[in-house]
């Protein structure tokens, strides 16, 4: 949750070492789970003199959430397979993009469309996979939380990319796509067992993070994607050639 506010006494009138009391209310979204959260206060263009305050985190607060459990299922309704949320049939239409701009989320929510998906791996590192054994989900968390704050009724269906990132391909050239002319394309070979194992680990780490996060009850599921156009098409479709990499032999 985030709120911009101005103190009753302008900052320009504050004096050094003076105690200033600032009060405000911060509405909390109903999807928050019971947990302890950091309290972050950014003082505009000012900086904290206390070296113990890092990233504007001034303390922590324990919040008791509703801890509701949403149910999702597909079953027959009026003679056709239908999607249900909490036993209520839904019109399964959504908005999917490389990211989820607040403007479009708002427009879709006003049209009573509350299902959102973004290509996790298109404008963000695949599965938050930023280095060997290193993962960063900050963009993912920020995107999901911003979406849920814009549309309190939103649900997220992750399009979870697991194609190897560029740094992985550069470190594992023998596991990449190779053409007859010897040219190596910086994309993982689907036959690569190393890629399969490490991509699987990255995928499970991502799911573990999101399922244990504050917005877990708004996650519908995960669409695992990869390959050319994230459609599991061969990388070499564009050249109409076969992959002759060592891992595919």
């Amino acid at each position: 949750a985030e709120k911009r506010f101005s103190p009753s006494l302008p900052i320009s009138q504050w004096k050094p070492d003076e105690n200033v009391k600032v009060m405000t209310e911060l509405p909390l979204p109903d999807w928050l789970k019971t947990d302890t959260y950091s309290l972050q206060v950014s003082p505009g263009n000012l900086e904290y003199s206390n070296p113990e305050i890092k990233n504007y985190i001034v303390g922590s607060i324990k919040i008791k959430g509703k801890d509701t459990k949403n149910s999702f299922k597909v079953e027959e309704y009026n003679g056709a397979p239908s999607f249900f949320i909490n036993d209520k049939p839904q019109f399964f239409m959504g908005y999917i993009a490389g990211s989820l701009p607040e403007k479009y989320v708002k427009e879709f929510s006003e049209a009573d469309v509350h299902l959102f998906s973004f290509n996790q791996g298109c404008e963000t590192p695949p599965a938050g996979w930023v280095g060997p054994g290193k993962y960063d989900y900050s963009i993912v968390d920020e995107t999901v939380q911003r979406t849920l704050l814009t549309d309190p009724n939103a649900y997220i269906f992750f399009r979870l990319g697991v194609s190897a990132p560029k740094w992985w391909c550069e470190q594992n050239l023998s596991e990449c796509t190779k053409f007859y002319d010897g040219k190596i394309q910086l994309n993982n070979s689907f036959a690569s067992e190393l890629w399969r194992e490490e991509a699987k680990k990255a995928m499970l780490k991502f799911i573990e993070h999101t399922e244990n996060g504050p917005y877990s009850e708004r996650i519908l599921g995960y669409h695992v994607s990869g390959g050319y156009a994230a459609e599991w098409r061969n990388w070499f479709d564009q050249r109409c050639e076969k992959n002759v990499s060592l891992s595919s032999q």
Side-chain angles (χ1 to χ4, degrees), residues 85 89-95 104-116 150-155:
I85 298 179
Q90 306 292 320
F91 180 55
F92 201 68
M93 171 181 256
Y95 170 52
Y104 300 129
V105 170
K106 186 173 185 298
E107 290 178 354
F108 271 89
S109 66
E110 290 172 347
D112 203 26
V113 174
H114 305 288
L115 173 60
F116 298 94
T150 303
D151 178 9
N153 297 313
Y155 289 90

